[in-house]
Amino acid sequence: MTAVVGSGWLALTSPNTVNDITEVWSLPGSRATLDAMRDAGLRLPRNDPRQYDELAGEWWQPDGAFAMLHWLAQARAALVPPAVRPGALLVDLGCGAGLLAPHLAGKGYRHVGVDLTRSALAQAVAHGVTAINGDAAAVPLTDGCADVVAAGELLEHVPDWRAAVAEACRLLRPGGLLVLDTLNDTALSRLVAVRIAERLPAVPRGIHDPRLFVDDRELVAECARHGVDLRVRGVRPGVPGLLRWLFRQARGARTPVGRAPRIVPTRSTAVLYQGRGVRGG
């Protein structure tokens, strides 16, 4: 997640090597606390980063508020090949609680995660992620340090997705791999991801701001400007698995291990899409 104006998050501009930094602490926030807002009868605005502190206990619940992020993390990790050199670095922008980590096990990367939410990063560390508490649009790491940059479900949450893309591309070494997934800026995406999805019991209300959704053609063009040849494809949860999951949700039953819905390719990028691209040079 990237800082919003006035949020009090510390944005570093001096790059460091990954060995120089493990955490970037946030400045004290000046906005109202969640409790104060509730007492005043106010609701959080859409896409407010404070939601993730409220939902901190949900990250590793397979049927919880972030269930679909687990499915997407598995699909994203499938795009990442095993490391080809010792000490290979994967930078995970908007890493949350480190949901990508189990799916990278054995691939040979040092996994560095960047996120604004400290409560999520504490959980990421417990899963083997080296944590940087900072801004995805101003990552305090050197140019070309990363063999892989992952940006899963990040771009539709940041105020300036182009700045986050520029940063992701900057971090990649020549030949490095960018993998991402995000929501398209279409009427269908707004219908599915906001109007329909937020009516489901497990989906947090207001987690997305549809004004921030990312047009796939613009994303491809922006990556090209920074030397990354990005190819995109539509993805969605497999229908049979999703229906079984919804049925279990309605009954209050848990999903058996290995029976979560799978993310599968689809012809249309109109709602949810993956991107995979290599930096030239």
Side-chain angles (χ1 to χ4, degrees), residues 95-251:
C95 68
L99 302 187
L100 195 61
H103 307 292
L104 296 174
K107 290 195 173 185
Y109 294 97
R110 183 178 180 189
H111 186 177
V112 172
V114 181
D115 206 283
L116 284 182
T117 306
R118 290 170 59 182
S119 59
L121 285 176
Q123 297 178 62
V125 169
H127 287 83
V129 179
T130 300
I132 297 177
N133 184 201
D135 191 329
V139 180
L141 296 173
T142 53
D143 295 357
C145 67
D147 297 82
V148 178
V149 172
E153 295 302 291
L154 167 74
L155 298 180
E156 74 271 26
H157 290 286
V158 298
D160 184 354
W161 66 261
R162 288 179 174 81
V165 166
E167 194 70 343
C169 296
R170 177 189 71 80
L171 293 170
L172 281 174
R173 65 174 181 80
L177 176 68
L178 174 64
V179 295
L180 56 84
D181 39 79
T182 190
L183 289 164
N184 212 334
D185 184 19
T186 65
L188 182 60
S189 182
R190 292 187 284 274
L191 173 66
V192 172
V194 179
R195 292 186 178 273
I196 294 176
E198 291 190 9
R199 294 177 184 273
L200 299 176
V203 178
R205 306 295 186 270
I207 202 74
H208 290 112
D209 183 343
R211 295 173 297 180
L212 301 178
F213 289 1
V214 181
D215 183 274
D216 60 326
R217 293 161 298 184
E218 292 183 22
L219 178 57
V220 168
E222 192 67 22
C223 286
R225 286 186 60 239
H226 297 285
V228 173
D229 181 19
L230 189 76
R231 308 295 175 90
V232 300
R233 67 176 183 180
V235 291
R236 59 169 173 78
V239 172
L242 179 61
L243 291 176
R244 287 192 294 268
W245 183 80
L246 290 170
F247 181 67
R248 286 192 295 266
Q249 288 286 101
R251 294 172 56 209

